[in-house]
Every structure is written in C-alpha cells, then in structure tokens.
Amino acid sequence: MTSVRLPDAEWQHNDGLKRVLAALDDVYGGPRYVGGAVRDTLLGLPVSDVDIATALLPDEVINRLEAAGVKAIPTGIEHGTVTAAVEGKNYEITTLRRDVATDGRRATVAFATDWQEDAARRDFTINALYASPKSGEVFDYFEGLSDLEARRLRFIGDANKRIAEDFLRILRYFRFLARYGGGQIDTDAIQACAMGAHGLTALSRERIAQELTRILGLKNPVASIELMIANGIFTPFLPELSGSAADDLLHLVEREAQYAQPVSLPARFLALLTHDIVAADKVAARLKLSNKMREGFAQRLRAGVPKPFNVRAIAYRADIDTARDAVLLYAVDADVPECLAQLEQWNIPTLSIKGGELINMGLPPGPLVAKTLQAIEAAWIEEGFPDAARQGALAAQMVDAALAGLNQSN
C-alpha cells in the first residue's frame, strides 16, 4: 500500500457521483475509483470518464442503484459492468474480476473480492491504480505510481502473456505510450508487441480502427507511430502504409503546431498512406471507416498541390477543412502561410446566376443552359469569386458567346 493521496479535483464533488458511491458502500473497502480518473488526476489532467470498481456482484449493484433512485444500465453485465446514469452523467461500475480463460479477443471472467487480483488482470501498471473516495488513499499493487512519475509504460506481469489475452493491447500500448510516455522505453514490451502483431488479424477491423483513430488523434503520436512501423505493427492490417509515413506524419504534425491548426483525422490518416485514391479507399473500406471519412480521403487526394491562387477553388469544390488539410499535407513550405491566410475567415460564396436568368437573356431552354452555367462558374472561380456585378457581366459575356455559337451551327 502507499501513503499517496488522490489530489482534490472538481469531478469528485459531483452530487450524482456521491449518490452512486453511497449506494455501493461495502465491507471490502469499496467502492473505489480506478484507472483513468485516478491516473489523470494524479497527473493534473482533466477527467472526462470516472470508472468505479466494487466487490459487489452486478445484480446487487443494480438493486442498490435503483433503490437509491439511480438508473442502472446493464451495459456489460456478463463481464460485471453496469452503467449508472444520474444527473446527466454516466459512471461505469465493474465488479472485481479474475480471468478464467482468454483467446486473444475476449476473456471469460469470474467475479472476485480481492483488489490485487483484479489489478493483476489489467493491462498497464498506470491503469491499475485505485483510490478510495472516502480517504483519497491511492492503492498501487504493481508500482504504477513510480512508472507514472517516470513517464514509463509497463505491462503488468509478463508482456507476452498480457498481449495473448487481448491482442488489442498492442495498439493500446502505443496509444498510451504516445500520451503518457516520455521516459525510458520498455524494450521487453516493444519486443512482445512485435512478436504478437500477427494476432491483430484476429481482431475486428472496427476495434483496430477505433484504436488507430485514438492514436492519430493525440497531439503528437509521431514517436509511437515510428516505433509501430519499425516493429511491423502495421503489417497485418495496413499494407498501404507509405514508405515515408513517419516523415510525412512528422511534417504534418510540425505544420499543425507551427500554424496553430487543429488535428484532422483524415489528414493524419493520409500522412501514413501512399498518395493514391484507390489505396486510400481500400483502407477506408477495410477498416470500416465512416462514409464521411472515406469521401474525405478522396477529396483531399483530388485537391492536388494547393497554391495561393487555387486554394480557395479547392475549398469551393470541397470545403474549407479539405482545403486546409491539403495545404498542410501537400503545399510547399513557402506557400503554406499565404494559403492558410486565404482560407482564414473566408466564407465559401455562392454563384448568384441561375438558369432562369440565362433563359431571360435569350438562351433557349435545354442542355445549352447547363453548359453555359458551367462556363460562367469556371470563369468566376478563375477570377477569384468576384461580386454579383461581375457575375452578371460574365453571364452576359457567356450568353453572347453561346448564342453566337448557336447561330453559327444553324
């Protein structure tokens, strides 16, 4: 045990949380906060999700919550998890467990009353920290506190064994390394991830995509991605990985920081891939990414190389986010500031000329109207989206040209 106390934080004073904790009071020293809420509070980071561990069996948890007027949702009751919904917030409550059997994708568990036994089945030492809501005492069974202080990420026990229990832990390792690492790398853990990478083929593509998205969404995942590439982690599920993926991602992340741009998942994904629409579409389909993400890949790859004179045209044909990502991914260094300035606080305009106006100007209804509208739009884009007066002048010019061509053909 340890004398460390959980620092006071705003999330601990939520009235709904207090109701949940009071309902789950037991004779085993629980309930206790566990995992991310403890870890991030110790690091002074904001806490969004609060997980609670208890020795009470799931049915007892449900009964107690309902008796306290708290909605109980059996979100994963076969694994001992019940969600308490109260005052607009959800709290995940899980009964202490021990693994009975695993197959690399899921575990068969038995419920327990031993806190250290529950901690032993968790993935990393920094995720196996518990804290008493009453006293604030932190319970550390596997030196997670020292690892947290040293920014060192370690598996609990034998890394190969932990990975064999659930191969997703390989990707989780690199995600946590990107977020909490910075100290000495555990070479045994890296080797175990490399040796177990083949097991990623046993996972659903949705689970892989979710973890990869979380990695890429972090502020700076470059070092983790470099380690993943060097140790063959992508090989089983991402053959489209570019030979320059690590350098391209680094370049993108550096530009995001230099120009204070938000993280864009489509851009982060594309930085890893070969510059090919077909290949990117295969990745999106294989990982079952959203249709929006899939189309986003195509739009960014079709954008070409942005320049100050064409970047607004790219935005007009797609959207501002697509154009901004294309700049960060593909523009030459000298053009980036001006391209981004062209997009800053620019609202995509609308061509005011309609087909009816062209008919009123003398064009016969039919395909020629659509063709002339396209010509007007192209000229308008080429001139940098001038105002309504210039649009009218362009329309008159194009109508005259269309009518002249029509008269010649007749």
Side-chain angles (χ1 to χ4, degrees):
M1 299 301 174
T2 174
S3 60
V4 171
R5 293 290 186 272
L6 191 68
D8 186 51
E10 184 178 351
W11 63 267
Q12 298 168 41
H13 299 282
N14 183 276
D15 289 337
L17 175 59
K18 291 179 180 179
R19 286 172 60 192
V20 170
L21 295 170
L24 300 179
D25 194 37
D26 63 38
V27 298
Y28 299 99
R32 295 178 184 174
Y33 305 127
V34 65
V38 180
R39 177 196 65 226
D40 290 349
T41 300
L42 288 167
L43 290 172
L45 299 174
V47 169
S48 55
D49 298 318
V50 178
D51 293 339
I52 298 168
T54 177
L56 300 175
L57 294 175
D59 288 342
E60 178 68 9
V61 170
I62 291 173
N63 291 338
R64 289 198 183 197
L65 291 175
E66 290 179 344
V70 175
K71 184 178 180 180
I73 307 167
T75 44
I77 199 163
E78 69 279 5
H79 292 104
T81 301
V82 175
T83 298
V86 57
E87 298 183 11
K89 291 186 178 294
N90 291 340
Y91 301 98
E92 194 170 275
I93 303 158
T94 302
T95 300
L96 304 186
R97 299 171 292 182
R98 65 175 183 273
D99 287 337
V100 175
T102 60
D103 62 4
R105 292 177 296 173
R106 62 185 67 84
T108 301
V109 300
F111 299 129
T113 57
D114 187 295
W115 293 92
Q116 183 161 347
E117 195 171 38
D118 184 73
R121 66 173 302 278
R122 295 179 180 271
D123 48 11
F124 312 120
T125 61
I126 65 171
N127 287 343
L129 298 169
Y130 302 74
S132 166
K134 292 181 179 179
S135 66
E137 181 180 2
V138 174
F139 299 87
D140 177 16
Y141 302 100
F142 296 100
E143 300 181 6
L145 287 169
S146 60
D147 288 337
L148 202 60
E149 184 177 3
R151 294 284 180 158
R152 179 174 56 235
L153 186 64
R154 287 191 306 120
F155 283 99
I156 293 173
D158 181 72
N160 292 287
K161 199 172 187 180
R162 291 281 84 82
I163 288 170
E165 291 167 353
D166 184 353
F167 290 109
L168 192 68
R169 285 174 171 170
I170 294 172
L171 299 184
R172 280 175 57 82
Y173 178 86
F174 290 103
R175 171 161 66 91
F176 277 83
L177 189 65
R179 187 173 183 194
Y180 300 104
Q184 184 177 1
I185 297 293
D186 185 340
T187 55
D188 289 341
I190 297 294
Q191 185 178 10
C193 288
M195 291 178 62
H198 64 88
L200 292 170
T201 58
L203 301 177
S204 73
R205 292 301 180 252
E206 291 92 340
R207 294 184 77 197
I208 289 176
Q210 185 180 53
E211 277 302 318
L212 183 55
T213 296
R214 287 173 174 173
I215 294 170
L216 292 176
L218 294 172
K219 183 178 180 181
N220 189 352
V222 174
S224 274
I225 294 294
E226 287 177 338
L227 278 171
M228 291 172 72
I229 293 170
N231 288 279
I233 307 302
F234 287 106
T235 302
F237 65 90
L238 202 67
E240 297 83 0
L241 189 75
S242 167
S244 59
D247 290 338
D248 292 343
L249 180 62
L250 175 61
H251 193 224
L252 172 62
V253 169
E254 288 178 340
R255 282 185 168 182
E256 289 169 350
Q258 181 179 355
Y259 297 103
Q261 297 299 306
V263 170
S264 164
L265 282 174
R268 291 279 183 95
F269 263 104
L270 288 175
L272 300 182
L273 306 179
T274 55
H275 196 161
D276 179 82
I277 290 179
V278 174
D281 195 63
K282 285 181 179 179
V283 171
R286 183 184 310 118
L287 297 182
K288 298 186 178 179
L289 301 177
S290 68
N291 289 335
K292 182 178 179 181
M293 182 79 79
R294 194 170 183 173
E295 179 57 27
F297 287 173
Q299 287 177 332
R300 286 157 177 79
L301 288 167
R302 282 196 296 259
V305 178
K307 297 281 186 180
F309 70 84
N310 72 359
V311 70
R312 286 186 172 180
I314 293 171
Y316 176 78
R317 293 189 177 98
D319 53 52
I320 295 288
D321 289 341
T322 294
R324 184 185 294 115
D325 285 356
V327 171
L328 296 175
L329 284 166
Y330 309 127
V332 299
D333 288 340
D335 288 339
V336 172
E338 179 59 26
C339 283
L340 292 176
Q342 289 281 337
L343 299 173
E344 188 71 26
Q345 296 182 339
W346 183 66
N347 296 317
I348 296 176
T350 302
L351 181 66
S352 62
I353 304 298
K354 307 299 179 187
E357 295 175 61
L358 303 188
I359 294 173
N360 291 337
M361 295 169 73
L363 277 188
L368 187 58
V369 172
K371 183 178 179 181
T372 305
L373 268 177
Q374 290 174 354
I376 295 168
E377 183 182 46
W380 176 61
I381 294 171
E382 180 70 22
E383 291 190 10
F385 308 95
D387 60 18
R390 179 56 183 160
Q391 292 175 41
L394 286 171
Q397 178 183 331
M398 297 297 176
V399 167
D400 286 345
L403 288 173
L406 187 63
N407 290 334
Q408 286 179 3
S409 65
N410 290 335

